[in-house]
Amino acid sequence: MITIDGRPVEPKGTLLDACRAAGATVRSFCKDDRLSAGGHCRSCLVEADGRLVAACCTPAKEGANVITDSPALAEYRRDLGELMRTESDPRGRVGAVLAEWGVTGERYRRSDRAGHRDASHPYLRLDLDACILCRRCIRACEEIQGRFVYAIEGRGVSSHLAWGAARFADSDCVSCGACVSTCPTGAIADLDRARETALPAAARAVRTTCGYCGVGCQLEVTVRDEPGGARIGHIDGADSPVNHRHLCVKGRYAHGFVRHPERLHAPLVRRGGRLVEASWDEALTLVARELNARRGAIAGLSSSRCTNEENYLFQKWLRGGLGTHDVDCCARVCHAPTAAGMRESFGTGAATNSLADIEHSDLLLLIGSNATEAHPVTGARILQAVLRGVGLVVIDPRKTELARHADIHLQLRPGTNVPLLNSLACVMVEESLVDRGFVDARTEGWSAFERHVRKFAPETMASITGVDATLVREAARRYARAARPMCMHGLGVTEHLQGSEAVMLIANLALLAGAIGREGVGVNPLRGQNNVQGAADMGCQPDLLTGYLPPDDPGVRERFERVWGRPLPTRPGRRLPAMWEAARRRELKAMVLFGEDVLQTDPDANAVRAALESLEFLVVQELFLSETAKLAHVVLPGASFLEKDGTFTNGERRVQRVRQTVSPVEGARPDWRIIRDLMTATGWSQGYQHPSEIMDEIARVAPAMFGGMSYARLEGDGLQWPVPTADHPGSPILHRDSFPRGRGALACVDYVPSPELGRGLTLVTGRLLEHYNCGTMTRRTPNLAIVSEERLEMNPADARSRGIADGEMVRVKNERGDVRVRARVTAAVEPGTLFMTFHFPATATNTLTSDVRDRMSDCPEYKVTAVEVTRVG
Ligand code: SF4
């Protein structure tokens, strides 16, 4: 035992831990439980066996006798505070403690260290006058985000915090706010908090789920009840297994869109060719009349931005109410190949493991994912693992941040995932690196696979992939020899002609290595939109009902018809690309689009426009008058994720609560309510009063997956499906003993080159950290001040040969489109490869992308587009 102020406690951790366990108050300015111990500030000094020691970094040893309060310690602390005051004017928590210690700041002469203020960043404010050099920001930046923005410069009283640039906005900061979340003095703060100080009001914290990407970070939203109504104050990361209090710039700061002046405040109906405001009654009646008049020729596109309950209700309406399986969602244009490929290999199309497994793995194989930008909190988690010594192999045509940290970067040519992944498997087979015990016990197809894969020797494939064969061999050895190798993949795998097949090849690697069904391994897609997993789970796809249940199974059909009290349609449904074709042929007469700006996000945008313009009636449910909404006959104003209740499902199958933080803006309604009212208006009366009732129904129609799911059980950290019964704890790891299809299937896949390859430069599209998808939300926040326009990344050799300088306007053109954009000349892409996002409507990137689609799932090939680039003027 150890004695703290005469009280015995277990000697666990540090003396500070022991003091806390004993209930003693010991301050520690430089301590943050998420970070390594600093021992910089000395505020936690205690007397241990007669010696003064920093409690935060002194191990608690058996038999120690510790005193936390004595006249000598009080004097020491006052002295320490007064010394601090000579150099700074700490506020926040530290300021309050100094006052408690009786620090006046009068005893020593104030140093002449000039306080430095910086207000160059759209969100952060730095005031070094309040800095006590506790170094928490330095450690948070390094140990949470994996950036190295801050350092201490100067010596003695001249020591000060520095960030490697004259203006903070020009530093390497990624605006994650980890430094703000740990700074104890207010030296680094953000505008959200500054506004709160200026506007004192009653505050409450609401835990909810981030509405941007599929990581599913938990937010702690401070809501201020002000005279004009509740307002969002600041947002912190909640302590959850998903994000451990960390957030990215979108989750923490990009909430300004909620009260943006361009929000829709009333339904709009088209009159005389113009969209004009109408009452809700008028709009709902009009929609019901026009849809009822076109039964049999209606399709719906649901929203991965919206909740599970809204997606469930939407497909229920389309199927049971409007009599069609013509319902799809944007999973079709991102991870449908993951679902299709993994279903072929394992029988279930979702992540096999949890995000926490990143910490249990010893080798991460990251394929086609720029995770630190597209899935920032997971990206930071991967980076932390790598900085701790976990191996990393990256397969990506771009030199991403994680590729720069990787042990091996296989920088392949766009569109060559299939030969490269086959090469990795070939090396494992050739060099006897296969877990034959696992293969024999749990897979099928070995004999054919072994013969087939030998065709893909890295030396033979190098001329196709552009990757040095020795690197491929080394990568395969590292993956196969790791004790717990884990695959993670993104849209760089799926959005290809052979997207689903590439996913099956990733599954092959895991099966060959026996890396399935245990901690730290598996095949784990990094899901794109916040609820793309949930939208697919809920049945927003034409061929599968809620819980991936087939509508042609008599038992399934009977259950849905019993619960819904309506017959299911008999005609098979159309996928999204087939819907566009049917609309252009005028077979499809009406569409309901719910939270999707397809004119910006879908490929071959001019063809999508033609389809939308061919419709007799188009309804769009949206926050803003998006490019797609401008074509609608009726626009219904929905509510954002911060304004409604429900659930989202993240990429690790975790269903988490979404809680209303503020009321919807005037005139807008939560989307589940709009759909419920549309169901009633079109003739199928619905009585749901709260989304929890919809979740209860989901549990009834898909019991194997959601039978044990309810709002009561989702409090806290949510549940990972399958959750078949009310006492089931959820499923962090799938396929422990068997696969839903019986044995795992080893797939033989030949390479089929995209028709877009070999026709000039290859454009790859993707995302930036600061913006999201088509930018509808992030462009209406100060994130726009960080990245304000599209840039085309091109290699210096390509730029030189075309006489293009960095920052110049260029023309990107092919037979489908012609856009102008500023060039960013960078070695991050290889010669022949270009990169651009589709965040900005002014640069209509998707007028360039083609109608080439994944052979199995119809997902568009966003990652390979033939274009030419010329200098403008
Ligand atoms: Fe939101 Fe994704 Fe950022 Fe997390 S990583 S805060 S879920 S955008």
Side-chain angles (χ1 to χ4, degrees):
M1 294 302 261
I2 180 172
T3 310
I4 309 288
D5 296 333
R7 188 175 307 163
V9 291
E10 287 284 330
K12 279 196 201 137
T14 64
L15 287 185
L16 188 60
D17 297 326
C19 290
R20 284 175 179 169
T25 303
V26 175
R27 308 294 185 177
S28 179
F29 300 154
C30 69
K31 173 81 177 152
D32 181 326
D33 290 338
R34 297 171 296 172
L35 308 175
S36 60
H40 299 297
C41 75
R42 320 308 284 173
S43 61
C44 66
L45 282 182
V46 293
E47 279 179 38
D49 298 325
R51 284 174 49 234
L52 279 183
V53 294
C56 72
C57 50
T58 306
K61 288 213 181 107
E62 182 68 36
N65 182 22
V66 176
I67 296 170
T68 66
D69 203 8
S70 69
L73 280 168
E75 177 59 26
Y76 179 83
R77 285 170 187 150
R78 202 163 37 249
D79 212 31
L80 174 80
E82 282 167 346
L83 274 169
M84 265 179 201
R85 273 284 167 83
T86 65
E87 295 172 357
S88 62
D89 182 19
R91 296 181 285 272
R93 299 191 291 279
V94 172
V97 172
L98 294 192
E100 181 189 304
W101 286 351
V103 175
T104 62
E106 302 298 320
R107 191 138 55 111
Y108 302 108
R109 193 172 63 82
R110 180 121 177 131
S111 86
D112 58 357
R113 193 181 88 184
H116 180 72
R117 294 207 166 106
D118 187 292
S120 60
H121 192 278
Y123 292 117
L124 303 189
R125 291 291 175 269
L126 292 98
D127 177 1
L128 295 196
D129 210 25
C131 173
I132 58 169
L133 297 178
C134 69
R135 293 169 170 79
R136 279 166 70 151
C137 54
I138 299 177
R139 284 177 287 142
C141 190
E142 294 178 6
E143 297 174 21
I144 297 174
Q145 181 58 37
R147 284 263 153 170
F148 302 88
V149 171
Y150 297 109
I152 302 291
E153 278 183 1
R155 297 174 66 109
V157 291
S158 302
S159 308
H160 63 277
L161 194 65
W163 43 81
R167 297 165 70 246
F168 187 78
D170 299 328
S171 72
D172 285 343
C173 174
V174 290
S175 319
C176 69
C179 54
V180 176
S181 77
T182 196
C183 176
T185 68
I188 307 176
D190 56 35
L191 280 175
D192 285 342
R193 283 173 172 79
R195 271 189 216 110
E196 285 172 9
T197 319
L199 289 169
R204 60 199 151 87
V206 181
R207 177 166 164 164
T208 190
T209 305
C210 178
Y212 281 108
C213 84
V215 176
C217 293
Q218 291 298 288
L219 311 178
E220 201 81 45
V221 182
T222 300
V223 180
R224 321 279 300 175
D225 292 316
E226 291 171 6
R231 295 183 70 88
I232 296 165
H234 70 269
I235 297 182
D236 273 324
D239 201 0
S240 100
V242 174
N243 55 307
H244 298 289
R245 292 166 59 195
H246 191 35
L247 294 174
C248 78
V249 59
K250 296 185 285 287
R252 191 183 295 275
Y253 294 124
H255 56 80
F257 72 90
V258 175
R259 292 285 184 267
H260 193 279
E262 288 169 10
R263 280 290 296 274
L264 296 172
H265 286 278
L268 303 174
V269 301
R270 192 166 292 281
R271 276 204 205 103
R274 287 179 52 238
L275 285 168
V276 295
E277 289 194 359
S279 71
W280 272 100
D281 278 351
E282 192 184 347
L284 293 176
T285 307
L286 175 64
V287 172
R289 191 184 68 217
E290 296 298 323
L291 290 183
N292 280 337
R294 291 172 179 81
R295 280 175 181 264
I298 302 171
L301 184 61
S302 195
S303 175
S304 301
R305 318 308 317 273
C306 291
T307 64
N308 287 320
E309 293 74 5
E310 290 161 346
N311 278 286
Y312 170 79
L313 217 49
F314 187 78
Q315 59 86 39
K316 177 178 174 180
W317 177 37
L318 267 287
R319 290 185 158 115
L322 300 176
T324 178
H325 284 300
D326 281 353
V327 57
D328 213 341
C329 69
C330 86
R332 183 68 50 212
V333 296
C334 64
H335 267 293
T338 292
M342 289 177 73
R343 241 191 334 266
E344 285 290 315
S345 298
F346 305 142
T348 298
T352 61
N353 287 61
S354 303
L355 292 170
D357 284 71
I358 294 170
E359 276 93 48
H360 300 298
S361 175
D362 57 351
L363 188 285
L364 300 167
L365 174 56
L366 183 69
I367 312 159
S369 169
N370 181 11
T372 53
E373 296 211 49
H375 301 89
V377 167
T378 297
R381 203 164 176 171
I382 294 170
L383 186 47
Q384 286 306 322
V386 173
L387 293 173
R388 281 196 307 274
V390 170
L392 177 66
V393 175
V394 169
I395 300 178
D396 204 296
R398 295 171 71 212
K399 214 170 270 136
T400 59
E401 182 179 11
L402 286 170
R404 289 196 296 275
H405 284 271
D407 301 298
I408 299 174
H409 176 201
L410 305 179
Q411 194 167 7
L412 77 177
R413 293 195 183 110
T416 62
N417 285 327
V418 165
L420 185 62
L421 291 165
N422 268 328
S423 282
L424 290 169
C426 172
V427 175
M428 290 173 74
V429 170
E430 273 184 3
E431 301 189 13
S432 301
L433 297 168
V434 173
D435 180 344
R436 283 306 304 264
F438 187 93
V439 166
D440 291 346
R442 295 197 52 189
T443 72
E444 63 187 27
W446 167 253
S447 307
F449 174 77
E450 188 198 10
R451 280 195 306 280
H452 178 267
V453 83
R454 286 180 188 273
K455 294 189 297 194
F456 294 90
E459 293 74 12
T460 316
M461 291 300 112
S463 62
I464 298 172
T465 62
V467 183
D468 183 342
T470 43
L471 278 182
V472 178
R473 286 199 176 271
E474 188 51 31
R477 289 174 195 139
R478 291 235 190 163
Y479 177 79
R481 288 178 181 149
R484 292 175 307 284
M486 178 168 173
C487 294
M488 308 180 93
H489 71 268
L491 304 181
V493 170
T494 57
E495 291 176 342
H496 286 278
L497 174 68
Q498 289 186 282
S500 302
E501 289 156 294
V503 171
M504 289 154 67
L505 298 185
I506 296 171
N508 279 354
L509 298 179
L511 293 171
L512 293 175
I516 286 284
R518 56 192 168 92
E519 213 172 48
V521 300
V523 177
N524 298 289
L526 294 173
R527 289 291 192 151
Q529 302 219 48
N530 56 317
N531 199 33
V532 69
Q533 178 74 55
D537 296 348
M538 291 302 118
C540 291
Q541 43 193 334
D543 49 344
L544 292 169
L545 303 169
T546 314
Y548 301 96
L549 295 168
D552 48 5
D553 179 310
V556 167
R557 203 173 179 86
E558 184 279 323
R559 185 164 65 242
F560 274 80
E561 291 182 344
R562 180 166 34 81
V563 174
W564 288 0
R566 286 267 171 139
L568 286 177
T570 47
R571 179 180 66 78
R574 282 178 275 229
R575 291 173 173 174
L576 182 58
M579 290 180 195
W580 297 141
E581 283 159 20
R584 285 192 290 269
R585 287 196 304 271
R586 298 187 188 273
E587 288 167 24
L588 202 59
K589 297 189 187 331
M591 274 188 91
V592 187
L593 301 187
F594 161 32
E596 291 292 330
D597 190 3
V598 288
L599 260 188
Q600 266 206 91
T601 57
D602 278 33
D604 200 358
N606 289 326
V608 174
R609 177 179 288 275
L612 293 172
E613 287 176 346
S614 303
L615 294 168
E616 293 173 7
F617 191 65
L618 173 64
V619 187
V620 173
Q621 214 161 301
E622 255 299 357
L623 304 182
F624 299 97
L625 193 62
S626 65
E627 298 303 301
T628 306
K630 286 175 191 164
L631 297 181
H633 298 88
V634 176
V635 184
L636 301 171
S640 73
F641 73 95
L642 289 158
E643 300 167 308
K644 60 188 175 188
D645 284 306
T647 58
F648 291 152
T649 306
N650 77 352
E652 55 169 5
R653 300 170 279 102
R654 188 184 295 274
V655 182
Q656 304 185 105
R657 276 300 316 276
V658 175
R659 294 181 184 84
Q660 181 176 334
T661 62
V662 291
S663 303
V665 292
E666 196 190 337
R669 290 183 178 176
D671 299 76
W672 67 268
R673 247 186 85 191
I674 300 174
I675 301 165
R676 178 199 66 186
D677 294 346
L678 284 170
M679 291 174 89
T680 302
T682 48
W684 190 10
S685 181
Q686 302 291 320
Y688 306 108
Q689 294 302 312
H690 191 268
S692 62
E693 297 161 23
I694 305 173
M695 177 56 81
D696 294 342
E697 185 174 313
I698 294 167
R700 288 210 304 283
V701 295
M705 210 159 176
F706 302 113
M709 205 78 88
S710 67
Y711 273 29
R713 290 201 68 204
L714 290 174
E715 286 302 316
D717 296 330
L719 286 166
Q720 287 171 275
W721 62 253
V723 188
T725 57
D727 57 357
H728 192 283
S731 307
I733 298 175
L734 299 182
H735 317 316
R736 284 185 185 274
D737 305 310
S738 63
F739 295 103
R741 69 181 303 287
R743 286 172 168 257
L746 287 164
C748 299
V749 177
D750 279 317
Y751 174 48
V752 182
S754 165
E756 291 288 299
L757 284 174
R759 298 173 42 217
L761 300 169
T762 303
L763 174 68
V764 176
T765 63
R767 293 185 204 158
L768 296 179
L769 167 70
E770 291 79 4
H771 289 287
Y772 199 75
N773 204 259
C774 56
T776 311
M777 288 145 69
T778 49
R779 281 186 288 102
R780 291 179 172 95
T781 71
N783 282 28
L784 194 60
I786 305 175
V787 178
S788 56
E789 61 172 7
E790 186 64 72
R791 290 284 177 124
L792 174 80
E793 288 187 4
M794 69 188 309
N795 184 274
D798 290 331
R800 221 174 9 255
S801 66
R802 289 164 177 78
I804 295 165
D806 187 45
E808 272 187 338
M809 286 303 286
V810 297
R811 195 168 165 196
V812 189
K813 189 170 176 295
N814 62 14
E815 66 276 21
R816 294 173 292 272
D818 183 349
V819 304
R820 282 159 200 242
V821 60
R822 218 169 278 287
R824 171 178 291 134
V825 178
T826 167
V829 288
E830 290 283 273
T833 303
L834 305 165
F835 176 81
M836 207 152 76
T837 77
F838 49 91
H839 297 319
F840 298 93
T843 311
T845 308
N846 275 322
T847 56
L848 298 164
T849 45
S850 75
D851 65 354
V852 177
R853 306 198 286 259
D854 172 42
R855 303 198 306 171
M856 286 168 61
S857 72
D858 276 345
C859 175
E861 188 174 55
Y862 290 108
K863 304 295 185 191
V864 181
T865 301
V867 293
E868 196 37 82
V869 179
T870 50
R871 192 162 160 261
V872 172

